[in-house]
Amino acid sequence: MNTLKVGDKAPNFEAFDEQGNTIKLTDYTGKKLVVFFYPKANTPTCTVEACNLRDEYAELKEKGYEILGVSADSQRKQSNFKKKFNFPYPLLADVNKEVIDAFGVWGEKKFMGRVFDGIHRVTFVIDENGVISKVIDKVKAKEHASQILEKD
């Protein structure tokens, strides 16, 4: 796994959101962007993480952050996930793993004694110039918004 690091230029991605809209990095030029990668929609930890960002969305917006969630789920699954939990931000349906690969969050994982390839739960904060200013690779699902807002 070759994950992007602080100081790297964010990859100029393009993907469909849960409604079929094309979302590009350039849509966020001049804004602070949080891109959080999660393994699978509607699973317990992913739901807790995404709901924490929903619950703290007003504060994140107030501090100038835009948010994008990304997983390899289909548009239909992302749409159902968003509707079920009323998320105020887009969820990218990166079925072909182009964005996932560009950020380097696909790789070997271990769970319950099993080894497999999958999406690592990693969040990137991208500054107004498209440079990665923070990487959170030890995401605490219940406190994720505070991790984004805390200063290093």
Side-chain angles (χ1 to χ4, degrees):
M1 202 168 80
N2 192 13
T3 308
L4 294 175
K5 295 170 183 46
V6 170
D8 288 347
K9 190 90 170 131
N12 194 14
F13 63 83
E14 185 173 310
F16 292 115
D17 72 3
E18 79 288 340
Q19 298 175 334
N21 301 315
T22 300
I23 305 284
K24 300 180 276 207
L25 176 65
T26 54
D27 297 339
Y28 297 93
T29 301
K31 299 176 183 172
K32 292 187 281 191
L33 177 63
V34 173
V35 181
F36 74 101
F37 291 89
Y38 56 97
K40 196 165 180 60
N42 267 315
T43 55
T45 306
C46 296
T47 300
V48 169
E49 176 186 12
C51 286
N52 174 261
L53 294 176
R54 174 203 63 201
D55 296 346
E56 303 299 328
Y57 186 69
E59 184 178 358
L60 289 161
K61 286 288 284 184
E62 188 181 293
K63 305 271 190 209
Y65 292 97
E66 297 289 333
I67 300 174
L68 280 179
V70 186
S71 76
D73 292 299
S74 67
Q75 282 182 21
R76 185 179 60 77
K77 284 184 181 175
Q78 294 287 47
S79 179
N80 290 343
F81 188 39
K82 182 172 177 165
K83 283 180 191 157
K84 182 176 180 180
F85 294 101
N86 198 27
F87 299 133
Y89 46 78
L91 300 176
L92 300 187
D94 191 21
V95 181
N96 297 327
K97 300 181 188 75
E98 291 172 9
V99 181
I100 291 162
D101 288 338
F103 279 82
V105 296
W106 181 265
E108 189 176 276
K109 298 175 77 171
K110 293 177 182 151
F111 182 69
M112 298 179 81
R114 222 176 91 228
V115 177
F116 59 96
D117 283 340
I119 299 170
H120 287 253
R121 186 180 313 281
V122 181
T123 297
F124 298 87
V125 179
I126 302 167
D127 72 14
E128 298 86 345
N129 301 310
V131 175
I132 296 170
S133 61
K134 182 183 246 185
V135 177
I136 304 168
D137 55 5
K138 289 180 176 48
V139 172
K140 295 176 186 161
K142 292 179 181 174
E143 305 164 23
H144 197 41
S146 345
Q147 287 181 292
I148 292 165
L149 293 169
E150 74 187 19
K151 299 290 179 215
D152 293 306

